[in-house]
Amino acid sequence: MKFTVLTLFPEIPRAYFETSIMAKAVEKGIIAYDLVNIRDFAFDKHRTCDDSPYGGGAGQLIMPEPLGKALDSVKALRKHVIYVTPGGKPFTQKKAQELSRKDELVIICGRYEGIDQRIIDSYVDDEISIGDYVMSSGEVSATVIIDTVYRLIDGVISSESLEEESYSGGLLEYPQYTRPPVYKGLEVPDVLTSGNHENIRKWRLKKSLEKTLANRPDMIWAAQRTGLLTAEAEKMIEEITEQVSLKHCKKRRKPKKDF
C-alpha cells in the first residue's frame, strides 16, 4: 500500500515514516510513501501558499492553485483522496478497515483555516475528522489515520494481535499484565498464571465487557443490535449489571444515627 501526503511541512510525517514498525514495513516493501511539499508548486519567489478568505474573517486559507497542481502531480483524480478536517465524518476502526483495502491513499494536510472549497469539490473523496476538537496541524491528524490504517495491512502486525485488540470484536480490550508478578503490592490476577486457558478466556471476556460497559456503553448497545455478542457474553453482561446495581445500592444506604 502507498501513502501520498500533501503538506506544507513534510518533515513532520517524514519522522513517522522513518521510525519503528512503520520503518520496518517500508524496508520490507509492504508500505510505500511519498511526501509532496505544496510549496514546490507555488508561483512567487516567497512560495506563498495561503491567502485571506473572501468575505472576511480571521485566519488564512491554503490557496487552490498550488494545492491543485500538487494533486495533479500525483494523479490524484485516479486515486482515493482524503482531506483531514474537524468538519469531516468521524474516523472509526471500521473506516480504517475500509481504507486499508485501497491500493493508495492521497492525504491532504490542512493548515490555518483549512483549504479552498473548490479543491474539496474537485478532488476529495473523504473528509475525515479524528475527533471533536481542533488542531493546528493537519500533519498530526494525517499521521493518526496512516497509523491506524497501515497496521491492518497484511504482514505489518500479526493477525492474532489484530483480532484481540480494542474495537475488533465490538469491545474494548481486557486488562494486560507482564512481569514482575508483584508491583508495589499489586499482584497479577491468579487466573492469568493458572495455565487454565478456558478460565483465562472467560476472565478476559468478562473484563473486556466490564471495561466497555464502564467506558463505552454505546459499543455494547451497537454490538447487541448487530448480533456480535455471544450468548455467553450476554449472560455476563446481566451478571455485571446486577453486581454494579447492588454496589450502587449499598453506597446509597446511609448509616442510621443514634440519638
Side-chain angles (χ1 to χ4, degrees), residues 41-71:
F41 300 87
F43 297 99
D44 63 350
K45 64 179 181 179
H46 300 294
R47 301 171 72 189
T48 303
C49 287
D50 60 290
D51 205 343
S52 55
Y54 282 116
Q60 300 283 95
L61 282 179
I62 295 180
M63 300 161 65
E65 291 172 312
L67 180 51
K69 285 187 173 293
L71 285 161

Side-chain angles (χ1 to χ4, degrees), residues 170-181:
L171 301 173
L172 299 179
E173 192 174 18
Y174 47 79
Q176 301 268 29
Y177 299 84
T178 188
R179 292 181 292 180

Side-chain angles (χ1 to χ4, degrees), residues 116-164:
D116 191 291
Q117 181 64 38
R118 289 167 291 185
I119 291 292
I120 298 173
D121 295 341
S122 301
Y123 293 92
V124 174
D125 299 296
D126 268 325
E127 292 182 76
I128 295 178
S129 167
I130 64 166
D132 294 339
Y133 46 85
V134 178
M135 302 177 68
S136 60
S137 172
E139 289 75 19
V140 174
S141 303
T143 301
V144 168
I145 293 173
I146 293 167
D147 187 88
T148 309
V149 171
Y150 97 100
R151 60 197 307 281
L152 299 174
I153 306 299
D154 288 343
V156 175
I157 293 176
S158 70
S159 57
E160 183 181 357
S161 295
L162 294 175
E163 287 170 4
E164 294 187 357

Side-chain angles (χ1 to χ4, degrees), residues 226-259:
T226 55
L228 282 177
L229 297 181
T230 63
E232 180 186 32
E234 292 284 9
K235 185 177 179 181
M236 284 185 180
I237 289 173
E238 290 180 12
E239 294 171 355
I240 294 166
T241 304
E242 287 177 8
Q243 291 170 1
V244 171
S245 297
L246 286 172
K247 192 180 293 185
H248 285 172
C249 285
K250 288 178 180 178
K251 284 183 179 180
R252 290 195 195 101
R253 289 176 187 167
K254 295 181 180 179
K256 294 181 180 178
K257 295 181 179 179
D258 295 326
F259 295 98

Side-chain angles (χ1 to χ4, degrees), residues 36-231:
V36 179
N37 192 334
I38 301 168
R39 292 191 189 281
D40 291 342
F41 300 87
F43 297 99
D44 63 350
K45 64 179 181 179
H46 300 294
R47 301 171 72 189
T48 303
C49 287
D50 60 290
D51 205 343
S52 55
Y54 282 116
Q60 300 283 95
L61 282 179
I62 295 180
M63 300 161 65
E65 291 172 312
L67 180 51
K69 285 187 173 293
L71 285 161
D72 290 339
S73 75
V74 299
K75 298 179 172 57
L77 290 175
R78 301 179 187 175
K79 299 164 185 177
H80 194 83
V81 180
I82 296 169
Y83 171 45
V84 284
T85 166
K89 294 180 180 178
F91 189 50
T92 63
Q93 189 69 19
K94 182 179 179 181
K95 185 64 178 179
Q97 290 167 344
E98 175 191 321
L99 294 175
S100 71
R101 293 189 282 271
K102 304 288 185 184
D103 292 328
E104 180 174 353
L105 297 178
V106 176
I107 304 178
I108 302 171
C109 301
R111 278 273 169 171
Y112 319 120
E113 291 300 306
I115 67 177
D116 191 291
Q117 181 64 38
R118 289 167 291 185
I119 291 292
I120 298 173
D121 295 341
S122 301
Y123 293 92
V124 174
D125 299 296
D126 268 325
E127 292 182 76
I128 295 178
S129 167
I130 64 166
D132 294 339
Y133 46 85
V134 178
M135 302 177 68
S136 60
S137 172
E139 289 75 19
V140 174
S141 303
T143 301
V144 168
I145 293 173
I146 293 167
D147 187 88
T148 309
V149 171
Y150 97 100
R151 60 197 307 281
L152 299 174
I153 306 299
D154 288 343
V156 175
I157 293 176
S158 70
S159 57
E160 183 181 357
S161 295
L162 294 175
E163 287 170 4
E164 294 187 357
E165 64 187 6
S166 292
Y167 303 106
S168 294
L171 301 173
L172 299 179
E173 192 174 18
Y174 47 79
Q176 301 268 29
Y177 299 84
T178 188
R179 292 181 292 180
V182 181
Y183 171 70
K184 292 188 176 181
L186 300 173
E187 297 182 5
V188 173
D190 291 338
V191 65
L192 297 179
T193 58
S194 68
N196 189 316
H197 296 294
E198 178 61 11
N199 287 346
I200 291 172
R201 183 194 66 79
K202 289 180 179 179
W203 181 89
R204 285 175 168 171
L205 175 57
K206 184 176 181 181
K207 289 299 180 182
S208 182
L209 290 166
E210 286 177 347
K211 187 170 186 178
T212 311
L213 281 166
N215 296 346
R216 291 291 305 274
D218 59 299
M219 289 178 63
I220 293 287
W221 302 331
Q224 288 175 323
R225 285 197 305 270
T226 55
L228 282 177
L229 297 181
T230 63

